[in-house]
Amino acid sequence: MYQIDAGPHQSAESLADRVRRAVIWRSGSQIVAQTVQWAATFLVIRILSPTDYGLFAMTQVVLVLLNMLNGYGLASGLVRQREVSHREVRQLFGMLLLLNGGLAAGQSLLAPLAAAYYRQPIVAELLRVQALLYLATPFIALPQALLGRAMDFRHQAKANICASIASAATALGGALAGWGVWTLVAAPLAMFMVRAVALTIAARSLVWPSFDFRGAGHLARYGGIMAAGQLTWFAQSQADVFIAGRWFTPHVLGLYTTGLFLTQIFVSKFVPPLNEVAFTAYARMQSRPELLAEGFLRAVRVVMLIALPFYLGLAATAGPLVATVLGPKWVEAVPVVRLLALAMPFMTLQILLTPACDARGRPGIGVQNGATGAAILALAFLIAVRWGATALAGAWIVAYPAYLGISLRRSLPIIGTRASDLAAAIGPPVLAASAMALIVTTTDSLMPTLPAMMRLALLVVIGGAGYAGWLAIFARPLLREVAITIGRQPASQARVQPAPPL
């Protein structure tokens, strides 16, 4: 019997300590892994062309769609249960094998249709090779669920770092060898395969699959609802590329998607690991709604404290940043980066809503929010796409605040908090980041002509000093709270409110 050992008898302080350790391992490993990957990614971007990235983006629409059905929702159902039998583990493994085998076959069949839609024959070849990713998924999802139940993020961290190193080495080697767009296909394959092997060994999860699914209806139902929510997330997250891929050349699409990658680094690479820890911890607080609500607000405060200066700083320094990080061939992406960076705070807050609602046993809220976002964003993209990549980026600023407003009205009562509490949580970092962006923009306009790297370095130092100074003067309570939340101080010594999860 696989049993959650954090029962009601355990103190909130004990859970808080475990959550802090989980966050440190999960986010710390994410920083290490992403540092390795980014170093390789930005070198590869300098070698490859926007056209290569545009072609790769076309394949991602199909890949992301089918990945929504790969069974991670089933694994989330396993995490949420208090007790899990060996038979249920075998049933889950069987479900994952069947699902992903079907997805691999389905992607191969869809490949020619996707190539015809985009009018790019190579897209079919790329998709057929990428179908191999599904073969590794069952060996990632199952051990990750078992380790997540135990809040063992140390072994997950080691697996992620090994996988990132393998991916980075493959990407760099492929780019230098002249593989072109195939470099972008080979690197994820290396990452998935290494991660699958490492996680399976760490969790000792290699079991004989069971295809007798009697009694596993609860897993299937929960996984189905989660998959529905992910499908609506796909509709909103891939609508721009799906629409633009038909209108734009691969070169222009590559400029847009690379700008999107740059602005989504924080929300796509750092927030999901924190949400992974949050869902596991929230699930243990189902009987204590007041703790869950406070945990959500504290998570918002900590995440937005880091996210807002990143996004507004990115918008303020887009010119020298793109020239320094991506290189001169990407300067056309500067307006896209600037506009998308301004929209990302809304997206970050939106993503933080889902794990709290899911843990309260209301995954349908995420489905409804996702469907709303898909409709609003798709309409905005359809209108904007005919005016080019910059207009498409501008559509995010118009559509995302409306989407977030509807989602908050629907989600906050489920979480157990109010809009005024949320506004109070994000108010200090919003003011500090806005002041920082004003300082950076003003300084940039007054600077003499300098090399892009030197200009960027000076602006980052000035912006960082301005942000830290504002917080130190006007938001000291927030800094103290964050220090307690993420610090290593034992809960027995920190006699304050029990630190809820991130």
Side-chain angles (χ1 to χ4, degrees), residues 85-132:
S85 68
H86 182 67
R87 180 171 182 268
E88 286 176 310
V89 172
R90 292 181 57 212
Q91 287 176 323
L92 174 61
F93 191 41
M95 290 179 184
L96 290 170
L97 289 173
L98 286 178
L99 270 176
N100 286 277
L103 291 175
Q107 181 162 304
S108 297
L109 293 173
L110 282 173
L113 298 177
Y117 172 79
Y118 292 119
R119 298 185 284 257
Q120 299 290 338
I122 193 175
V123 167
E125 301 172 37
L126 297 171
L127 283 169
R128 290 191 183 101
V129 175
Q130 287 171 320
L132 295 172

Coordinates of all heavy atoms in Angstrom, one line a residue, residues 85-132:
S85 N -3.0 1.3 -3.9 CA -2.6 -0.1 -3.8 C -1.6 -0.4 -5.0 O -1.5 0.4 -6.0 CB -3.8 -1.0 -3.9 OG -4.4 -0.9 -5.2
H86 N -0.9 -1.5 -4.8 CA 0.0 -1.9 -5.9 C -0.8 -2.2 -7.2 O -0.3 -1.9 -8.3 CB 0.8 -3.2 -5.5 CG 1.8 -3.7 -6.5 ND1 2.9 -3.0 -6.8 CD2 1.8 -4.8 -7.2 CE1 3.6 -3.6 -7.7 NE2 3.0 -4.8 -8.0
R87 N -2.0 -2.7 -7.1 CA -2.8 -3.0 -8.2 C -3.1 -1.7 -9.0 O -3.1 -1.7 -10.2 CB -4.1 -3.7 -7.8 CG -5.0 -4.1 -9.0 CD -6.2 -5.0 -8.5 NE -7.0 -5.3 -9.6 CZ -8.1 -4.6 -9.9 NH1 -8.5 -3.5 -9.2 NH2 -8.9 -5.0 -11.0
E88 N -3.4 -0.7 -8.2 CA -3.7 0.6 -8.9 C -2.5 1.2 -9.6 O -2.6 1.8 -10.7 CB -4.2 1.6 -7.8 CG -5.6 1.3 -7.3 CD -6.1 2.3 -6.2 OE1 -5.3 2.4 -5.3 OE2 -7.2 2.9 -6.3
V89 N -1.3 1.0 -9.0 CA -0.1 1.4 -9.7 C 0.1 0.7 -11.0 O 0.4 1.3 -12.1 CB 1.1 1.2 -8.8 CG1 2.4 1.5 -9.6 CG2 1.0 2.1 -7.6
R90 N -0.2 -0.6 -11.0 CA -0.1 -1.4 -12.2 C -1.2 -1.0 -13.3 O -0.9 -0.9 -14.5 CB -0.2 -2.9 -11.9 CG 0.9 -3.5 -11.1 CD 0.7 -5.0 -10.9 NE 0.5 -5.7 -12.1 CZ -0.3 -6.8 -12.3 NH1 -1.0 -7.3 -11.3 NH2 -0.4 -7.4 -13.5
Q91 N -2.4 -0.7 -12.8 CA -3.4 -0.3 -13.7 C -3.0 1.1 -14.3 O -3.3 1.3 -15.5 CB -4.7 -0.1 -12.9 CG -5.4 -1.4 -12.5 CD -6.6 -1.2 -11.7 OE1 -6.7 -0.3 -10.9 NE2 -7.6 -2.0 -11.9
L92 N -2.5 2.0 -13.5 CA -2.1 3.3 -14.1 C -1.0 3.1 -15.1 O -1.1 3.7 -16.2 CB -1.6 4.2 -12.9 CG -1.0 5.5 -13.4 CD1 -2.0 6.4 -14.1 CD2 -0.4 6.3 -12.2
F93 N -0.1 2.2 -14.9 CA 1.0 2.0 -15.9 C 0.4 1.4 -17.1 O 0.8 1.8 -18.3 CB 2.0 1.0 -15.3 CG 3.3 0.9 -16.1 CD1 3.9 2.0 -16.6 CD2 3.9 -0.3 -16.2 CE1 5.0 1.9 -17.4 CE2 5.1 -0.4 -17.0 CZ 5.7 0.7 -17.5
G94 N -0.5 0.5 -17.0 CA -1.2 0.0 -18.2 C -1.9 1.1 -19.0 O -1.9 1.1 -20.2
M95 N -2.6 1.9 -18.3 CA -3.3 3.0 -19.0 C -2.4 3.9 -19.7 O -2.6 4.3 -20.8 CB -4.1 3.9 -17.9 CG -5.3 3.2 -17.3 SD -6.1 4.3 -16.1 CE -7.4 3.2 -15.4
L96 N -1.3 4.2 -19.0 CA -0.3 5.1 -19.7 C 0.3 4.5 -20.9 O 0.5 5.2 -21.9 CB 0.8 5.4 -18.6 CG 0.4 6.3 -17.5 CD1 1.5 6.4 -16.4 CD2 0.1 7.8 -18.0
L97 N 0.6 3.2 -20.9 CA 1.2 2.5 -22.0 C 0.2 2.6 -23.2 O 0.6 2.9 -24.4 CB 1.6 1.1 -21.7 CG 2.8 0.9 -20.8 CD1 2.9 -0.5 -20.4 CD2 4.0 1.4 -21.5
L98 N -1.1 2.3 -22.9 CA -2.1 2.2 -24.0 C -2.3 3.6 -24.6 O -2.3 3.8 -25.8 CB -3.4 1.7 -23.5 CG -3.5 0.2 -23.2 CD1 -4.8 -0.2 -22.7 CD2 -3.2 -0.6 -24.5
L99 N -2.4 4.6 -23.7 CA -2.7 6.0 -24.2 C -1.5 6.5 -25.1 O -1.8 7.0 -26.1 CB -2.8 6.9 -22.9 CG -4.2 7.1 -22.4 CD1 -4.1 8.0 -21.1 CD2 -5.1 7.8 -23.4
N100 N -0.3 6.3 -24.6 CA 0.8 6.9 -25.3 C 1.2 6.1 -26.6 O 1.6 6.7 -27.5 CB 2.0 7.0 -24.4 CG 1.8 8.2 -23.4 OD1 2.1 9.3 -23.7 ND2 1.4 7.8 -22.2
G101 N 0.9 4.8 -26.6 CA 1.1 4.1 -27.8 C 0.1 4.6 -28.9 O 0.4 4.7 -30.0
G102 N -1.1 4.8 -28.4 CA -2.1 5.3 -29.4 C -1.8 6.7 -29.9 O -2.0 7.0 -31.0
L103 N -1.2 7.5 -29.0 CA -0.9 8.9 -29.4 C 0.3 8.9 -30.4 O 0.3 9.7 -31.3 CB -0.4 9.7 -28.1 CG -1.6 10.1 -27.2 CD1 -1.0 10.7 -25.9 CD2 -2.6 10.9 -27.8
A104 N 1.2 8.0 -30.2 CA 2.3 7.9 -31.2 C 1.8 7.5 -32.6 O 2.2 8.1 -33.6 CB 3.4 6.9 -30.7
A105 N 0.9 6.6 -32.6 CA 0.3 6.2 -33.9 C -0.5 7.3 -34.5 O -0.5 7.6 -35.7 CB -0.6 4.9 -33.7
G106 N -1.3 8.0 -33.6 CA -2.1 9.1 -34.1 C -1.3 10.2 -34.6 O -1.7 10.8 -35.7
Q107 N -0.2 10.5 -34.0 CA 0.6 11.6 -34.5 C 1.2 11.3 -35.9 O 1.3 12.2 -36.8 CB 1.7 12.0 -33.5 CG 2.6 13.1 -34.0 CD 3.4 13.7 -32.9 OE1 2.9 14.1 -31.9 NE2 4.7 13.7 -33.0
S108 N 1.6 10.1 -36.1 CA 2.1 9.6 -37.4 C 1.1 9.8 -38.5 O 1.4 10.2 -39.6 CB 2.6 8.2 -37.3 OG 3.7 8.1 -36.4
L109 N -0.2 9.5 -38.1 CA -1.3 9.6 -39.1 C -1.6 11.1 -39.4 O -2.0 11.4 -40.5 CB -2.5 8.9 -38.6 CG -2.4 7.3 -38.5 CD1 -3.6 6.7 -37.8 CD2 -2.2 6.7 -39.8
L110 N -1.5 11.9 -38.3 CA -1.9 13.3 -38.5 C -0.8 14.1 -39.2 O -1.0 15.2 -39.7 CB -2.1 14.0 -37.1 CG -3.4 13.7 -36.4 CD1 -3.4 14.3 -35.0 CD2 -4.6 14.3 -37.3
A111 N 0.4 13.6 -39.3 CA 1.6 14.3 -39.8 C 1.4 14.9 -41.2 O 1.6 16.0 -41.5 CB 2.8 13.4 -39.8
P112 N 0.8 14.1 -42.2 CA 0.6 14.6 -43.5 C -0.4 15.7 -43.6 O -0.3 16.7 -44.3 CB 0.2 13.4 -44.4 CG 0.6 12.2 -43.6 CD 0.5 12.6 -42.1
L113 N -1.4 15.6 -42.7 CA -2.5 16.7 -42.7 C -1.9 18.0 -42.1 O -2.2 19.1 -42.7 CB -3.6 16.2 -41.8 CG -4.4 15.0 -42.2 CD1 -5.5 14.6 -41.2 CD2 -5.0 15.2 -43.6
A114 N -1.0 17.9 -41.1 CA -0.4 19.1 -40.6 C 0.5 19.8 -41.6 O 0.5 21.0 -41.8 CB 0.4 18.8 -39.3
A115 N 1.3 18.9 -42.3 CA 2.2 19.5 -43.4 C 1.4 20.2 -44.5 O 1.8 21.2 -45.0 CB 3.0 18.3 -44.0
A116 N 0.2 19.6 -44.8 CA -0.6 20.2 -45.9 C -1.2 21.5 -45.4 O -1.3 22.5 -46.1 CB -1.8 19.3 -46.2
Y117 N -1.6 21.6 -44.1 CA -2.2 22.8 -43.6 C -1.2 24.0 -43.6 O -1.5 25.1 -44.0 CB -2.7 22.6 -42.1 CG -3.1 23.9 -41.4 CD1 -4.4 24.4 -41.7 CD2 -2.3 24.5 -40.5 CE1 -4.8 25.6 -41.0 CE2 -2.7 25.7 -39.9 CZ -3.9 26.2 -40.1 OH -4.3 27.4 -39.5
Y118 N 0.1 23.7 -43.2 CA 1.1 24.7 -43.1 C 1.8 24.9 -44.5 O 2.6 25.8 -44.6 CB 2.1 24.4 -42.1 CG 1.6 24.4 -40.7 CD1 1.6 23.3 -39.8 CD2 1.1 25.7 -40.1 CE1 1.1 23.4 -38.5 CE2 0.7 25.7 -38.8 CZ 0.7 24.6 -38.0 OH 0.2 24.7 -36.8
R119 N 1.5 24.0 -45.4 CA 2.2 24.1 -46.7 C 3.7 23.9 -46.6 O 4.5 24.6 -47.3 CB 1.8 25.4 -47.5 CG 0.3 25.5 -47.7 CD 0.0 26.8 -48.6 NE 0.1 27.9 -47.7 CZ -0.9 28.6 -47.3 NH1 -2.1 28.2 -47.6 NH2 -0.8 29.7 -46.5
Q120 N 4.1 23.0 -45.7 CA 5.5 22.8 -45.5 C 5.7 21.2 -45.3 O 5.5 20.7 -44.3 CB 6.0 23.4 -44.2 CG 5.9 25.0 -44.2 CD 6.9 25.6 -45.1 OE1 7.9 25.0 -45.5 NE2 6.6 26.8 -45.5
P121 N 6.1 20.6 -46.4 CA 6.2 19.1 -46.4 C 7.1 18.5 -45.3 O 6.9 17.4 -44.8 CB 6.8 18.8 -47.8 CG 6.4 19.9 -48.6 CD 6.4 21.1 -47.7
I122 N 8.2 19.3 -44.9 CA 9.1 18.7 -43.9 C 8.4 18.6 -42.5 O 8.9 17.8 -41.7 CB 10.3 19.7 -43.8 CG1 11.4 19.0 -43.0 CG2 10.0 21.0 -43.2 CD1 12.7 19.7 -42.9
V123 N 7.3 19.3 -42.3 CA 6.6 19.2 -41.0 C 6.2 17.7 -40.8 O 6.2 17.2 -39.6 CB 5.4 20.1 -41.0 CG1 4.5 19.8 -39.8 CG2 5.9 21.6 -40.9
A124 N 5.8 17.0 -41.8 CA 5.4 15.6 -41.7 C 6.5 14.7 -41.2 O 6.4 13.9 -40.3 CB 4.8 15.1 -43.0
E125 N 7.7 14.9 -41.8 CA 8.8 14.2 -41.4 C 9.2 14.4 -39.9 O 9.6 13.5 -39.1 CB 10.0 14.5 -42.3 CG 9.8 14.2 -43.8 CD 10.9 14.7 -44.6 OE1 12.1 14.6 -44.2 OE2 10.7 15.2 -45.7
L126 N 9.2 15.7 -39.5 CA 9.5 16.1 -38.2 C 8.6 15.4 -37.2 O 9.0 14.9 -36.1 CB 9.5 17.6 -38.0 CG 10.5 18.4 -38.8 CD1 10.2 19.9 -38.7 CD2 11.9 18.1 -38.4
L127 N 7.3 15.5 -37.5 CA 6.3 14.9 -36.6 C 6.4 13.4 -36.4 O 6.2 12.9 -35.3 CB 4.9 15.2 -37.1 CG 4.4 16.7 -36.8 CD1 3.1 17.0 -37.6 CD2 4.2 16.9 -35.3
R128 N 6.8 12.7 -37.4 CA 6.9 11.2 -37.3 C 8.1 10.9 -36.4 O 7.9 9.9 -35.6 CB 7.2 10.6 -38.7 CG 5.9 10.7 -39.6 CD 6.1 9.8 -40.9 NE 5.0 10.0 -41.8 CZ 5.0 10.7 -42.9 NH1 6.1 11.5 -43.2 NH2 3.9 10.8 -43.6
V129 N 9.1 11.6 -36.4 CA 10.2 11.3 -35.5 C 9.9 11.7 -34.1 O 10.2 11.0 -33.1 CB 11.5 12.0 -36.0 CG1 12.6 11.9 -35.0 CG2 11.9 11.5 -37.4
Q130 N 9.2 12.8 -33.9 CA 8.8 13.3 -32.6 C 7.8 12.4 -31.9 O 7.7 12.4 -30.7 CB 8.2 14.7 -32.7 CG 9.2 15.8 -33.0 CD 8.6 17.1 -33.3 OE1 7.6 17.2 -34.0 NE2 9.2 18.2 -32.8
A131 N 7.2 11.5 -32.7 CA 6.2 10.5 -32.1 C 7.0 9.6 -31.1 O 6.3 9.0 -30.2 CB 5.5 9.7 -33.2
L132 N 8.3 9.5 -31.2 CA 9.0 8.7 -30.3 C 9.0 9.2 -28.8 O 9.2 8.4 -27.9 CB 10.5 8.6 -30.7 CG 10.8 7.9 -32.1 CD1 12.2 8.1 -32.5 CD2 10.4 6.4 -32.0

